[in-house]
Amino acid sequence: MLFLDEQYQQLFTNWNEEAQLGVASLRLVAGRHPHDRSLAELVGQLTMNCGEFAPLWARHPVRTCTSGVKHLRHPLVGAMDLGFENLVIPGPSGQRLIAYTAEPGSPSEAALRILGSATAPPAQDPTVTRS
């Protein structure tokens, strides 16, 4: 999505930095799984379909990104600065969980609240009984 989805790219105020981090992280994963056919196919697809990907991949960056701040521009609520932590799930799966947070009382927290209320199911009226 980071390289092939234009709408997703527009979420990042500094897409070039995100792209560099994405490639460096992908290089790290590729080094850990050198015989993964799906991963090789993904790199090939990105190389063929995204002009920005190939030069970044050719630099051979390797980096893990465990925490930081993402600077986003959401189409409904505007600019948001979200801290993130990349948590590794124990076990051989290699899965990770990324948690995003906003500074309490910040415009980013207000934006997240707006997004949460925009997608939340309608509150149920406690005076109404259902049969």
Side-chain angles (χ1 to χ4, degrees):
M1 288 173 42
L2 182 61
F3 290 97
L4 300 178
D5 185 327
E6 189 174 322
Q7 287 181 322
Y8 188 77
Q9 292 172 5
Q10 292 175 5
L11 289 175
F12 297 97
T13 59
N14 190 348
W15 182 84
N16 290 328
E17 182 178 314
E18 291 298 325
Q20 290 173 26
L21 288 172
V23 169
S25 181
L26 187 58
R27 272 267 181 213
L28 181 68
V29 172
R32 291 179 179 161
H33 305 281
H35 304 293
D36 186 315
R37 183 182 178 108
S38 296
L39 185 56
E41 289 173 359
L42 174 62
V43 171
Q45 177 188 12
L46 292 172
T47 300
M48 297 299 295
N49 296 309
C50 180
E52 294 89 351
F53 179 82
L56 293 173
W57 186 258
R59 292 182 195 160
H60 297 275
V62 177
R63 180 176 174 196
T64 185
C65 193
T66 57
S67 64
V69 177
K70 298 287 183 184
H71 305 284
L72 305 171
R73 178 180 44 249
H74 192 278
L76 295 177
V77 296
M80 293 189 297
D81 296 324
L82 302 178
F84 72 92
E85 293 287 330
N86 190 341
L87 309 167
V88 177
I89 305 298
S93 71
Q95 291 183 336
R96 299 176 294 167
L97 172 70
I98 302 174
Y100 292 91
T101 58
E103 191 70 34
S106 70
S108 296
E109 181 188 42
L112 283 179
R113 289 189 187 283
I114 292 168
L115 286 175
S117 66
T119 60
Q124 293 185 5
D125 184 344
T127 62
V128 175
T129 57
R130 300 193 188 264
S131 38

